[in-house]
C-alpha cells in the first residue's frame, strides 16, 4: 500500500517558522538602527537621574534647603530668559546623549607589533617546508605576506599563540607521517614550548589547525562513577574528544568531566587491556582504580610481580579471590583462572546447545589483573618453572565469551619480555608517563595528535581503544591507602570504595581462597 504524504503544515511548517524568525530578526535589527539615537538619549537620561539621586543622597540634610533654593532660582531664570526653555532642553538632550554613548572600548583590529613579529617569524620558518622553486605563485616566500597564510590566529594575555590556522599549498605531502612530524615539531618549537598542542590536518582543504590545550585536571580523586555494568572509566580527557560527561565530586561541589570509558563483555571489541609506562608513572594507580570498579559487579584476581605490596589493601575483601606476590602463588592463581575460563566456556556452550540461558555461575565477570608479570619470567626461568604468562593464552583468547577480562601493566624496559599472546589480544592500550614518539606509536599503534606535556604528573598519558583515536588521559588519583606518603583525603577516598573484609588478611592463605573459589 502506498504511503500517504504528510500534511502540508507538517512538511513546510519548519521552513515557514525559520523564515518568520529571520524576518523578525531583520525587523528587530532595523528598528534598533532607527531608534539608536532615542535609545542613547534614554540611557543618558537614566544615568543623569541616577547621578542626581546619588548627589542628593550624599548631600547633608542641613544643606538640602539651600540646594533646593539654588535649583529653583536657576529654573526661574531659565524660564524668564528668551528661548531659555528651548536652550535648556537642547542642553539636557546633548548631556544625555554624551552620557548615554557606548563606552565599551573598541577591540584593536589585527595583532599588535609583538604579535605581528611572532607571526612573521613563524611564517619565515615555514617557508622552506611549504615552498618549491617550480611554484609560479608561491604562498610561502621569504618576505611574503603572512596574513594570506594565517587566516585565523588568537593570542593569550602573554602574547603567545593559542590558536592558529595555516593554509599550505596542495603539493605538500600531508599524507606522509614524517612530513607532518617535521611541521608539528617546528610549530611546537616556534609557538612556545611547555604547552600541549593539538594538530588537526584538513587534507581536503589544505589547512592545518593548531590549538593550545589546557592541562587535564589532576585533582580527580577515586569515587563512584556513574556507569553501567561492563563500563570501566580509565581516566578523563578533553571535552572535544568524547560525547559524554560524568558528574564528579570535588569536595563540596560537582563538575561534569568527559571520561575515557572502556567497555568489556561479550560484545566488546577490546576485551583486554595493556598498560605501559615508566616507574612511578601511575600504572599501579590505574590498576587499583580498575579493581575498585570491577569489584562492584565481578570478582578479581591480582598478581603483582613487583613485590611492593601495592594491593595489600584488597586482601581478604569481598570479591577479591587472590592477591599474589610470589611466583608459586601466581602460577596457582593463573592456572586456576585458565581452568575457570575453560569451565565457563563448556557450560555456556552446553546451555546454548540446549536452548537455555547461561548458568548463573558464568555470568559474574572475572577480572585478572597482572602488574609487572615480566618480573616472574626471569624467576621462572631461573627456577625451572613455567612462565606465568603462558597461562594467559586461554583467558586472552576465549575470555570475552567466558566473561573473563585480562589487564596487564608493565614497564617499557621489560616490554620485550611480554608474551605474544599479550601483545596480540590486548586491543585496548594505555601509555602513562613520559614516552618517546616511537614508544607511543609502538604501543598504541598510532601517534597521538598532540605534543607531549612538558611536566608529566603521575597518571598522565594516552589511551587508545582498538582502532579509535588516541586520547589524552588523566587517571583518577587512587593511591595505596597504606602508603605513608598518601594524604588523609586520598586515603579516605580509597578506603570508602573498598568492599567489606570477609576474611582476615592473615587468617586464610591466598592459595586456599583460589582453591575454594567457584
Amino acid at each position: 500500500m502506498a504511503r500517504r504524504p504528510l500534511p502540508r503544515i507538517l512538511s513546510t511548517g519548519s521552513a515557514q517558522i525559520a523564515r518568520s524568525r529571520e524576518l523578525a530578526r531583520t525587523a528587530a535589527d532595523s528598528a534598533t538602527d532607527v531608534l539608536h539615537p532615542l535609545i542613547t538619549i534614554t540611557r543618558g537620561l537614566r544615568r543623569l537621574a541616577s547621578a542626581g539621586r546619588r548627589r542628593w543622597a550624599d548631600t547633608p540634610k542641613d544643606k538640602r534647603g539651600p540646594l533646593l533654593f539654588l535649583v529653583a532660582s536657576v529654573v526661574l531664570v531659565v524660564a524668564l530668559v528668551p528661548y531659555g526653555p528651548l536652550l535648556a532642553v537642547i542642553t539636557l538632550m546633548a548631556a544625555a546623549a554624551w552620557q548615554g554613548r557606548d563606552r565599551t572600548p573598541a577591540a584593536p583590529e589585527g595583532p599588535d607589533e609583538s604579535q605581528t613579529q611572532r607571526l612573521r617569524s613563524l611564517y619565515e620558518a615555514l617557508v622552506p617546508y611549504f615552498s618549491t622553486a617550480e611554484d609560479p605563485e608561491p604562498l610561502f616566500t621569504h618576505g611574503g605576506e603572512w596574513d594570506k597564510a594565517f587566516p585565523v590566529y588568537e593570542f593569550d594575555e602573554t602574547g603567545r599563540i593559542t590558536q592558529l590556522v595555516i593554509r599550505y599549498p596542495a603539493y605538500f605531502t600531508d599524507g606522509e607521517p614524517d612530513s607532518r612530524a617535521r611541521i608539528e615539531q617546528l610549530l611546537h618549537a616556534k609557538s612556545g614550548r611547555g604547552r600541549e598542542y593539538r594538530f588537526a590536518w584538513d587534507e581536503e582543504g589544505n589547512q592545518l589547525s593548531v590549538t593550545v590545550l589546557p592541562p587535564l585536571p589532576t585533582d580527580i580523586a577515586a569515587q563512584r562513577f556513574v556507569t553501567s555494568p561492563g563500563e570501566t572509566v580509565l581516566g578523563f580527557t578533553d571535552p572535544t574528544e568524547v560525547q559524554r560527561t560524568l558528574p564528579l565530586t570535588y569536595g563540596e561541589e560537582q563538575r561534569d568531566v568527559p571520561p575515557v570509558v572502556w567497555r568489556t563483555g561479550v560484545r566488546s571489541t577490546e576485551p583486554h587491556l595493556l598498560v605501559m609506562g615508566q616507574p612511578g608513572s601511575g600504572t599501579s594507580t590505574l590498576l587499583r582504580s580498575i579493581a575498585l570498579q570491577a569489584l562492584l559487579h565481578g570478582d578479581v584476581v591480582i598478581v603483582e610481580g613487583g613485590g611492593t605490596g601495592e594491593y595489600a589493601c584488597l586482601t581478604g575483601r569481598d570479591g577479591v579471590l587472590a592477591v599474589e606476590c610470589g611466583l608459586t602463588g601466581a602460577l596457582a592463581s593463573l592456572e586456576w583462572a585458565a581452568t575457570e575460563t575453560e569451565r565457563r566456556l563448556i557450560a555456556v556452550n552446553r546451555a546454548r546447545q540446549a536452548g537455555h540461558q547461561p548458568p548463573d555461575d558464568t555470568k559474574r565477570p572475572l577480572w585478572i589483573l597482572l602488574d609487572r608479570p615480566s618480573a616472574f619470567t626471569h624467576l621462572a626461568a631461573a627456577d625451572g618453572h613455567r612462565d606465568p604468562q603462558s597461562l594467559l593464552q586461554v583467558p586472552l583468547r576465549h575470555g570475552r565469551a567466558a566473561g573473563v577480562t585480562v589487564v596487564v601493566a608493565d614497564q617499557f624496559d621489560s616490554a620485550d619480555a611480554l608474551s605474544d599472546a599479550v601483545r596480540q589480544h590486548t586491543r585496548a592500550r594505555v601509555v602513562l608517563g613520559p614516552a618517546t614518539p616511537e614508544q607511543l606509536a609502538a604501543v598504541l599503534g598510532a601517534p597521538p595528535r598532540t605534543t607531549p606535556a612538558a611536566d608529566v604528573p603521575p597518571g598522565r598519558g594516552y589511551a587508545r581503544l582498538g582502532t579509535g583515536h588516541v586520547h589524552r588521559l588523566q587517571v583518577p588519583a587512587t593511591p595505596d591507602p597504606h602508603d605513608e606518603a598518601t594524604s588523609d583525603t586520598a586515603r579516605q577516598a580509597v578506603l570508602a570504595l573498598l568492599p567489606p573484609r570477609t576474611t582476615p588478611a592473615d587468617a586464610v592463605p591466598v592459595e586456599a581462597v583460589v582453591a575454594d573459589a567457584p
Side-chain angles (χ1 to χ4, degrees):
M1 181 176 62
R3 296 182 178 179
R4 298 178 59 185
L6 292 173
R8 183 175 182 83
I9 187 174
L10 296 179
S11 60
T12 61
S14 59
Q16 293 178 356
I17 293 175
R19 193 180 302 110
S20 301
R21 290 178 179 175
E22 186 65 25
L23 292 175
R25 190 180 297 108
T26 304
D29 295 339
S30 301
T32 301
D33 295 337
V34 173
L35 300 177
H36 181 70
L38 181 60
I39 294 174
T40 302
I41 293 175
T42 303
R43 187 190 306 119
L45 290 174
R46 187 169 59 251
R47 292 177 179 175
L48 290 175
S50 299
R53 286 195 299 269
R54 290 194 301 269
R55 180 64 182 273
W56 177 259
D58 296 339
T59 302
K61 294 183 178 181
D62 57 343
K63 295 183 179 180
R64 291 182 179 180
L67 180 60
L68 287 175
F69 179 76
L70 178 62
V71 172
S73 301
V74 172
V75 171
L76 180 61
V77 171
V78 170
L80 295 177
V81 173
Y83 303 103
L86 179 61
L87 294 176
V89 171
I90 293 175
T91 304
L92 180 61
M93 293 298 103
W98 177 257
Q99 290 292 331
R101 72 188 188 280
D102 189 6
R103 301 181 182 182
T104 304
E109 298 182 358
D112 55 21
E113 184 177 355
S114 61
Q115 296 173 353
T116 302
Q117 182 62 30
R118 184 180 292 271
L119 292 173
R120 185 179 292 112
S121 62
L122 185 60
Y123 174 84
E124 294 291 338
L126 292 172
V127 169
Y129 302 92
F130 288 151
S131 63
T132 181
E134 292 79 10
D135 191 352
E137 296 181 359
L139 182 62
F140 285 82
T141 58
H142 291 290
E145 300 179 0
W146 59 265
D147 53 347
K148 294 182 178 180
F150 304 149
V152 178
Y153 48 84
E154 293 182 6
F155 295 86
D156 56 9
E157 295 79 5
T158 61
R160 296 203 298 177
I161 296 175
T162 58
Q163 184 178 3
L164 182 65
V165 176
I166 302 174
R167 296 176 52 206
Y168 57 86
Y171 53 77
F172 176 72
T173 56
D174 52 3
E176 300 179 1
D178 294 339
S179 301
R180 290 189 177 191
R182 286 193 295 268
I183 299 300
E184 293 174 1
Q185 182 179 6
L186 174 64
L187 294 174
H188 185 203
K190 293 295 183 180
S191 300
R193 297 185 181 273
R195 300 184 297 174
E196 293 185 79
Y197 297 85
R198 174 183 286 114
F199 301 98
W201 291 85
D202 183 7
E203 300 179 8
E204 186 177 0
N206 298 323
Q207 287 188 351
L208 170 61
S209 299
V210 185
T211 307
V212 178
L213 298 175
L216 294 177
T218 58
D219 56 347
I220 300 178
Q223 54 191 281
R224 295 295 183 202
F225 302 120
V226 183
T227 56
S228 60
E231 292 183 343
T232 303
V233 176
L234 299 179
F236 302 91
T237 184
D238 301 303
T240 58
E241 293 295 319
V242 295
Q243 300 179 354
R244 177 180 177 180
T245 59
L246 291 180
L248 302 180
T249 302
Y250 289 80
E252 298 181 354
E253 62 179 14
Q254 288 189 348
R255 190 189 315 171
D256 293 337
V257 181
V260 177
V261 178
W262 172 40
R263 293 175 175 85
T264 57
V266 179
R267 294 179 177 83
S268 173
T269 57
E270 304 88 20
H272 308 295
L273 175 68
L274 175 62
V275 183
M276 300 296 294
Q278 301 288 355
S281 59
T283 56
S284 300
T285 298
L286 177 56
L287 259 65
R288 268 191 301 270
S289 176
I290 293 176
L292 293 176
Q293 298 179 63
L295 288 173
L296 289 175
H297 308 285
D299 299 325
V300 175
V301 174
I302 301 176
V303 175
E304 180 190 359
T308 57
E310 293 280 346
Y311 307 94
C313 60
L314 296 171
T315 303
R317 300 286 179 174
D318 186 16
V320 181
L321 303 182
V323 178
E324 295 293 348
C325 299
L327 177 59
T328 304
L331 289 172
S333 299
L334 295 180
E335 185 176 0
W336 172 86
T339 305
E340 174 66 10
T341 304
E342 295 176 350
R343 185 196 67 81
R344 291 189 176 201
L345 283 175
I346 296 173
V348 171
N349 187 26
R350 290 177 178 175
R352 289 177 178 175
Q353 290 181 357
H356 302 301
Q357 291 290 334
D360 294 337
D361 58 353
T362 63
K363 295 181 179 180
R364 186 170 175 83
L366 174 62
W367 291 73
I368 305 174
L369 309 182
L370 297 94
D371 193 353
R372 294 197 63 190
S374 60
F376 291 122
T377 303
H378 305 287
L379 295 177
D383 296 342
H385 292 287
R386 187 178 182 181
D387 186 2
Q389 294 188 59
S390 62
L391 299 171
L392 296 175
Q393 182 73 26
V394 174
L396 287 171
R397 184 180 296 273
H398 306 286
R400 179 175 59 179
V404 179
T405 303
V406 179
V407 180
V408 179
D410 219 311
Q411 300 178 2
F412 281 114
D413 54 1
S414 303
D416 297 337
L418 293 176
S419 63
D420 294 336
V422 173
R423 298 172 182 271
Q424 294 175 3
H425 298 285
T426 52
R427 292 175 48 83
R429 301 291 181 90
V430 172
V431 176
L432 298 179
T436 62
E438 293 77 12
Q439 291 175 332
L440 292 174
V443 176
L444 301 176
R449 296 180 298 173
T450 61
T451 57
D455 185 14
V456 183
R460 178 68 169 81
Y462 298 93
R464 189 187 187 200
L465 304 178
T467 59
H469 295 295
V470 179
H471 302 289
R472 290 201 306 167
L473 181 71
Q474 179 62 49
V475 177
T478 315
D480 181 11
H482 296 168
D483 190 0
E484 297 180 354
T486 304
S487 63
D488 293 337
T489 303
R491 180 182 293 106
Q492 295 301 325
V494 175
L495 293 176
L497 300 178
L498 291 175
R501 191 182 296 275
T502 56
T503 304
D506 55 351
V508 179
V510 178
E511 291 82 356
V513 176
V514 174
D516 295 338

